[in-house]
Amino acid sequence: MAVTIKDLAKAVNLSITTVSRALDGYDDVAESTRERVIHTAHEMGYIPNRAARQLRRQRTDTIGYILPSKSPRFADPFFSDFIAGLGDAAGDHNFDLLISTASPGEKGESELYRRWVNSRKVDGFILNRLRIVDWRVQFLAESRVPFVSLEKSQDPVNYPCVTVNSRKGFRTLVRHILDLGHQRIAFIGASLDLVISNDRFAGYLDALGEADIPIDQSLIIQTDLFRQSGFEAAKNLLSLSQPPNAIVCANDLVAMGVLEAAKDLGLRVGTDLLVAGFDNIEESAHSQPPLTTLSQPVYEIARKLVDMLIDLINGNPIEDPCVPLEPELVLRSSTTGMVRVSN
Amino acid sequence: MAVTIKDLAKAVNLSITTVSRALDGYDDVAESTRERVIHTAHEMGYIPNRAARQLRRQRTDTIGYILPSKSPRFADPFFSDFIAGLGDAAGDHNFDLLISTASPGEKGESELYRRWVNSRKVDGFILNRLRIVDWRVQFLAESRVPFVSLEKSQDPVNYPCVTVNSRKGFRTLVRHILDLGHQRIAFIGASLDLVISNDRFAGYLDALGEADIPIDQSLIIQTDLFRQSGFEAAKNLLSLSQPPNAIVCANDLVAMGVLEAAKDLGLRVGTDLLVAGFDNIEESAHSQPPLTTLSQPVYEIARKLVDMLIDLINGNPIEDPCVPLEPELVLRSSTTGMVRVSN
DNA sequence: TTGTAGGCGTTATCAA
DNA sequence: TTGATAACGCCTACAA
């Protein structure tokens, strides 16, 4: 059916060996021979069989990403950008991207990682949504499978990563709100096991601490990072006897839910209630009102991660074992009121 | 490193053959032997090497989907649901899902399909966003690679598919708007080469024809199925000397752009201007105002497609070579005005 | 009921 | 500069 190296060898009247090496650019092949081989290969539409190559080289030229999602049906747009970046960068290196989904913490998740590792399905992993202590880090390190991550866990293991200083970002964001004269600021985030949630919460505390504002536990909510969770959390917060006059959210999706809750309650966001998020997803520029948020270059981060991972897989030295980035504060009318400062 | 069947055979003191067949459930293996093998396999964490199995079986247990997108960074939420369905269903069958992106019509696209076919990377393909005449259908049919599709092209080839009657759906939608007393209805869609665009346009024409309303070419716009395109198209439409009083869009994303344009121009959507879309993406329930749209069960469709494809790959008879579905009209205030008929 | 052996398509080692 | 040949890990006639 498909043309194999054997067919090709027969066609050019050479041994399989020579053909293989002509194609792989070894320098012990006569230039004329190489040209002939390459030409005929093109002509016959020869493409090496992946499985055979993998078996022989013990490599798959595939990187894996397991989307940490309970319900992929309502995927965070964050992941669209992230996956697009992974896919594009992988393609540039002639790698494939294998994707699956698994709920963090559930049994299926660890099984999936284990399967992909044991059956040699991928040469390495991309991780994100790390926990402070993350079993994946331990497991992959022990299994000696290359991996890189967005965010860094506290495990005593060294691995390349990209980190976004969301702590500092959130501190800046909360300060911005304080500067506008609002002091009763609520925080909606996820479990503090999650690095991103923890960092952002820390930034929130930093800013309040510096302004000598006491922490009010009733204004701090831990939930999922979904729109619906934001909606419900906001409904609760806003029905307190002393409701907050600002709500900062660990991501934009949650903030979208908050906007909707505010609308339901007839609050004018930007004046009665300030709202902000994190991620700068596309929708946040188009919401009603547009959302103040912290922007991180998700697509580029994903690309960078792939570059690092492939270096790692190839045994190349990684120039920058840890790339630190700063999120950018994007001011929109959900905090600045009617004046549109930025789009 | 990873435990192979050889290691396992050694451990249980049997030949590779026997182990292999014990694991594969052949009935010519002593029950006691089988138990011993399975037990030890578990214990040692044996997982068959994919590459070897693929090479031997000439199968990859992988299905491919190439996302037809020019700019994956701003992916249509439609694709999130679709891909989630593909992934989940594939997983249920112990198949993998290989994903990549390519711009429809560009050279990279055909190369990608060709590569995946020739290098036997996947056992079959899922297609969508079909053209009226689609080279992929021709190519895959000629290559004798199994495939199924959402929507059906007009190529003289038989293949299993799921179709959504969007023509009828759009007819119903446009009628709904006509019933509300609006007659100047604009259509924003994509190239009429695209089956979905063509069908929806046909439904639009059906409804206008039945109501004896002449077609006004200036109200018909062909563009991309992106939010920004909808925004721009709407700006143009609404600045006509005789602007439309309703705009129906080939998908929700475009409708979102239209909503924004309307807001910019100070129009009250639902009264001054009616707007509707197709897909029922999550955002359409939360937009300002919520959007009237046609709903199709994207996730379930994707699952169904995978089931059909895997049957096809396995040579099983397909019970239903073509599954026809009806989209459901979801009325919201973007056409019904202030009254929220449905959420 | 179990084992031997050949081969899937490649790449890599060695010899010619 | 080229060509035999042996793996990689698995499956499956066929033989025992």
Side-chain angles (χ1 to χ4, degrees), chain B residues 126-184:
Chain B
I126 303 278
L127 304 183
N128 76 339
R129 291 270 165 111
L130 269 77
R131 311 252 149 193
I132 305 281
V133 175
D134 202 301
W135 74 268
R136 298 174 295 174
V137 169
Q138 317 248 17
F139 170 66
L140 294 175
E142 277 169 18
S143 309
R144 315 195 142 250
V145 174
F147 66 98
V148 300
S149 74
L150 169 53
E151 305 133 37
K152 180 136 200 155
S153 74
Q154 310 231 348
D155 300 285
V157 174
N158 251 324
Y159 53 94
C161 61
V162 172
T163 60
V164 174
N165 194 342
S166 46
R167 176 169 189 166
K168 186 166 152 205
F170 243 69
R171 187 171 129 226
T172 308
L173 169 62
V174 171
R175 268 199 198 160
H176 155 68
I177 292 173
L178 289 169
D179 288 347
L180 291 170
H182 299 75
Q183 303 218 335
R184 228 175 135 59

Side-chain angles (χ1 to χ4, degrees), chain A residues 1 47-48 50-51 54-55 73 81 96-98 118-121 260 263 283 286 288 299, chain B residues 1 47-48 50-51 54-55 73 81 96-98 118-121 227 260 263 283 286 288 299:
Chain A
M1 191 103 290
I47 296 184
R50 305 278 290 203
Q54 285 169 27
L55 183 57
R73 305 183 56 173
D81 283 6
D96 290 319
L97 173 66
L98 193 58
N118 287 340
S119 70
R120 285 286 145 94
K121 284 189 51 146
E260 198 176 356
K263 200 184 70 189
E283 191 181 344
H286 304 284
Q288 182 79 345
Y299 180 82
Chain B
M1 192 101 290
I47 297 185
R50 304 278 289 203
Q54 284 170 28
L55 184 56
R73 304 184 57 175
D81 283 6
D96 289 319
L97 174 66
L98 193 59
N118 288 339
S119 69
R120 285 288 142 94
K121 284 188 54 145
R227 186 192 297 261
E260 198 176 356
K263 201 184 70 190
E283 192 182 343
H286 304 284
Q288 182 78 346
Y299 179 83

